[in-house]
Each structure stands twice: as structure tokens, then as C-alpha cells.
Amino acid sequence: MYIIECIECNIKNLNRTKEGLFHMSLSMNPRVDELGLPGIRKFASQLVNYPDAINLTIGQPDFPTPEAVKKAGIRSIENNLTTYSANAGLIELRKAVAAFFEEKYNCHYNPVDEIIITNGASQAIDSVFRVILEPGDEVILPAPIYAGYEPVITYHGGKCVYLDTTDTDFQPSAERLATLITPKTKAVLFNFPSNPTGATISHEQMDALANVLKDQDVYIISDEIYSENTFDGEHRSFGYYPELKDRLFFIHGLSKSHSMTGWRIGFLMSDAKLLAEVTKVHSFNAICAALPSQYAAIEALTNCKDTPQEMNKSYIRRRNYVYDRLTKMGLDVKLPTGAFYIFPSIKKFGLTSEEFALRLMKEGGVGVIPGSVFTPYGEGYLRITYAYSDEELKEGMDRLEAFIKTL
Ligand SMILES: Cc1ncc(COP(=O)(O)O)c(C=O)c1O
């Protein structure tokens, strides 16, 4: 942010940010200016100028929240259960979280002091980085990766170091990880199943990563928000490895598994000592998660445990359809095994991913996200979300095919 003079009104203390000019004499934290707007939103918001475009950009399920979950939220409001809860969240919900992750992934967390209910996984991510990062710390992330981490890491004074997965089928190589860890490394962050690639990690690969990490003095942050959307084999969590527990932050939530993006419920699970520190930050920046959402979450985790598997039937059908169409168009693409994204390469067209996505939107009438939004390692790819109706996917693929023929 720069203090400059306004040529129109001669006010000296005018701040210029990327977003415009502000008539004010007080400066702001320059790191906020560097944040900008989330790349996905920035791109998706341009679609309003193309109302006839097929929108395959947004990363959220296209199903309604399960009926029973909605009713639990409504009941909570009707019964005046609309107050604060304990900072860490309702103990009944924390117990439900502990039971769910124990049953599903064999992870053991004590509901009393090893689980916090957050406002979505996003708040868990932010709170963890607030607590662990000191200026100059490095965080290793397999890339391409979800665009929501890098701004938070840099905002809190850290630096991202990327582990290239583009030549290893989007799997993080344990050997490569070992070479990237230095005394500056504070944490390694994983997100599998992956947004944007749809890749999952095999149990053997997880064992190899855990083996490298167990001897390293680094935190592990694992955002497994798509684990319930695993299509091939069984998801293995980093929470499965007891030898990592004293430095693991295991992040999850209901946004994707139960189509609850607007309810804002996330889970942060960790060792009690680490979590006590995060709870301090969480208590000041959120107090607690919204109480009706917490009651709805109990219902989701107890009586609607199979909802994600129901949704998966549709995702698998749609994934197969989109994969088949992209392959027939001659695109180099890997079959995703989780989440609801597919990440074809468009390198052969000689356009940057942003140029390709912009032209596809304007000339072809389809909205997708340029891979470069997901770190520079995503350059040369597109992220297509297939959590859309069969009709939208068919029309989107028809238009993409027609657009490619014009290149
Ligand atoms: C990998 C990943 N983590 C976290 C989030 C944010 O989740 P929440 O809605 O729980 O904040 C998203 C949303 O797209 C995501 O893709």
C-alpha cells in the first residue's frame, strides 16, 4: 500500500491498493493488499457476464443438505438452542466426531481435549497457521494444490515450498519430500483426496510418507475434507499413524461429505497439548461454531453416515462420463479416484491455462478454472468440477469439444 497524493482532490494521505484508491490517512497491513481475491472466485465471478455459459467451476456438491440434518438445525433454532457453546464445541458433537473418525478411519481422538469444532475447515487451517508459523518458516505442499493455503501461509509470515507431483501422477513422492525438508521447514501440508487433481494416495504411499515424517521435527497438517468421497479402495488418514500424532493437525468438515458448505462446520483434531494452543486462538477469533449448525452436524455424523456413499454413486457416474469424453477429445487426463474434480492437461494447445479458460468461457460458453490458480505447478491444466447435473456435464463437454476444434 502506498501513500500518494490524489490529483482530483489534493488529499495527500490517499492509499492505493490493488483494489482501488482509499481516501484515508491510516495505513493498513500491507500483507492484506497482497492477499487479493481468491483465484477461483475471481474467475468464477466473471461468468456473470456470460449468463448462457455452462458453469463447471464451483467446488461444492449439487445435492441439498440431507433432510434429517436440516430438521436437526431447525429444531435447534425452534428450541432456542441458539447460544454460544463451549469454545471447542458441544461435547455431544465432539463425541460424535471421535466415534465417526474411529469407525471410518481408525483414528483415535479424545473428545474432551483433542477435537475442536471450527467454522468450516477454513477456520481450522487459518487457526493452525496462526499458531505454528513464525517469520521465515517454510511449509512444504504437494502441488498442484487447493488455492486456499498459500495466502494464509504467507499472510502469517510463512513461505510455501512446493513438492512437484506433476510427473508422479499427482502423488507426492516420499523420496522427494525427504530432500525438501530443511531446518527451515515448519510443516508439511497434505490434501488427499486432492482438490484440484482428484488424486488419492495408496496405503503404501501413505506408509512411505509417514515413514519419512516420523523422524522429522516438523508439523504435519492433513486436510482430508474429501475423504468420504473416495471412489477407489479405502481412504487412509494420517490420523491412522500413532507415531505422527504428537505433531499432526488433522482437518476435516462436513462441507463436502454432507453438502453443508453454508453451515460452516469443520473439525480440527490433534494432540491435546497442541490443541490447547489452537483453542486459545479459536476462542478469540470465533468463540465457537454456530450452535444450530453444531446440532445439525451431530445428526449428519450419527444418522446420516452413509449420505456421502449415496452421493458418490452419482459422482462416479459423472466422473466416468467426463473422463470418457475428455479422453475421446484426445486430452491427456488421469482418472480421478476421489473428490469431484478432474484435471486434464491442455499443454498441447500452446495456450496458458488462463488464456485457454478465458477463451473457453468467452468463445466456447463453458466456465472452468485455469490450473495456474492451484500454484504454478497447475499451469497447463484445467480444473473441471463434475458435481453438476448430467445435462450440464453433457452440454459442457459438447461445447468444450466444439471449442477445441476451433484451436
Ligand atoms: C481442500 C479444501 N480444503 C478446505 C476447503 C474449505 O472447506 P470449508 O467449507 O469446510 O471451509 C475447501 C473448499 O473448497 C477445499 O477444497
Side-chain angles (χ1 to χ4, degrees):
M1 206 173 297
Y2 319 96
I3 307 293
I4 55 163
E5 191 170 340
C6 175
I7 41 166
E8 282 166 35
C9 60
N10 293 332
I11 292 179
K12 269 229 165 66
N13 289 339
L14 185 71
N15 288 333
R16 179 196 291 279
T17 73
K18 276 193 214 134
E19 321 304 342
L21 298 172
F22 292 91
H23 280 270
M24 50 190 267
S25 55
L26 292 169
S27 66
M28 288 185 190
N29 182 341
R31 279 181 290 165
V32 176
D33 190 25
E34 276 150 33
L35 274 180
L37 285 172
I40 299 178
R41 289 284 167 131
K42 213 154 82 183
F43 208 85
S45 63
Q46 294 189 45
L47 275 167
V48 293
N49 303 319
Y50 304 92
D52 296 328
I54 298 289
N55 180 356
L56 305 179
T57 62
I58 302 292
Q60 66 182 345
D62 63 329
F63 301 99
T65 299
E67 223 34 55
V69 175
K70 289 196 269 189
K71 291 213 170 93
I74 293 167
R75 262 198 316 276
S76 148
I77 295 170
E78 285 175 347
N79 293 333
N80 292 320
L81 296 169
T82 52
T83 58
Y84 296 126
S85 68
N87 293 126
L90 288 170
I91 186 66
E92 301 93 303
L93 174 54
R94 285 182 273 148
K95 282 183 182 164
V97 171
F100 185 86
F101 287 98
E102 174 143 3
E103 181 190 324
K104 293 263 179 168
Y105 305 120
N106 205 11
C107 301
H108 306 291
Y109 287 97
N110 184 339
V112 175
D113 53 6
E114 294 186 334
I115 299 173
I116 308 179
I117 311 304
T118 55
N119 291 281
S122 304
Q123 194 222 336
I125 295 163
D126 181 68
S127 300
V128 168
F129 283 122
R130 271 172 200 257
V131 168
I132 65 170
L133 285 182
E134 295 166 86
D137 282 348
E138 292 184 354
V139 180
I140 299 173
L141 307 97
I145 197 164
Y146 173 55
Y149 308 121
E150 194 260 358
V152 177
I153 292 168
T154 49
Y155 186 79
H156 294 307
K159 184 175 164 242
C160 294
V161 173
Y162 293 114
L163 191 171
D164 186 5
T165 65
T166 54
D167 57 352
T168 51
D169 285 342
F170 302 127
Q171 303 276 321
S173 143
E175 295 75 37
R176 208 172 270 176
L177 172 63
T179 66
L180 291 178
I181 297 175
T182 72
K184 285 189 172 170
T185 309
K186 184 54 99 38
V188 184
L189 184 150
F190 296 95
N191 166 231
F192 290 95
S194 158
N195 175 6
T197 66
T200 54
I201 326 188
S202 69
H203 292 191
E204 296 69 38
Q205 186 68 12
M206 284 291 284
D207 290 348
L209 291 166
N211 201 35
V212 168
L213 291 165
K214 76 176 185 342
D215 300 323
Q216 302 286 345
D217 222 4
V218 295
Y219 292 111
I220 303 147
I221 300 160
S222 188
D223 175 354
E224 301 179 24
I225 194 157
Y226 294 98
S227 69
E228 287 292 288
N229 306 113
T230 298
F231 311 140
D232 199 9
E234 284 189 1
H235 174 78
R236 176 166 290 176
S237 170
F238 275 99
Y240 170 84
Y241 299 93
E243 64 273 30
L244 301 182
K245 189 170 173 186
D246 65 349
R247 69 210 102 124
L248 171 68
F249 292 102
F250 175 20
I251 293 174
H252 216 288
L254 295 177
S255 284
K256 317 291 173 170
S257 62
H258 288 74
S259 194
M260 291 177 69
T261 49
W263 296 77
R264 310 309 302 132
I265 288 290
F267 313 129
L268 176 60
M269 292 163 267
S270 189
D271 175 80
K273 274 205 222 93
L274 301 184
L275 215 59
E277 299 306 303
V278 185
T279 307
K280 291 186 212 162
V281 165
H282 166 78
S283 307
F284 289 114
N285 73 6
I287 301 185
C288 63
L291 198 60
S293 297
Q294 292 195 52
Y295 280 105
I298 295 174
E299 184 69 22
L301 293 176
T302 52
N303 296 325
C304 302
K305 276 192 273 194
D306 296 331
T307 298
Q309 283 65 49
E310 284 304 308
M311 294 183 188
N312 285 349
K313 289 181 195 156
S314 298
Y315 294 146
I316 292 170
R317 189 187 66 246
R318 297 165 184 184
R319 171 203 65 172
N320 291 347
Y321 174 75
V322 173
Y323 175 76
D324 192 48
R325 290 292 307 265
L326 295 174
T327 317
K328 286 190 178 133
M329 286 176 218
L331 294 185
D332 180 12
V333 61
K334 212 181 138 29
L335 183 73
T337 44
F340 33 67
Y341 308 106
I342 190 161
F343 206 59
S345 166
I346 43 110
K347 288 179 187 166
K348 66 177 184 180
F349 298 106
L351 298 170
T352 67
S353 59
E354 189 159 343
E355 283 164 352
F356 189 106
L358 269 175
R359 284 188 55 187
L360 177 60
M361 179 163 63
K362 291 180 184 169
E363 300 165 28
V366 186
V368 299
I369 303 290
S372 54
V373 161
F374 307 96
T375 78
Y377 292 88
E379 183 50 83
Y381 297 87
L382 299 177
R383 189 193 78 175
I384 300 174
T385 302
Y386 54 83
Y388 286 96
S389 70
D390 294 348
E391 295 70 32
E392 285 168 298
L393 292 175
K394 179 176 181 315
E395 183 61 26
M397 290 303 107
D398 287 349
R399 291 186 187 189
L400 173 63
E401 188 169 0
F403 171 74
I404 283 175
K405 286 189 182 140
T406 68
L407 293 177

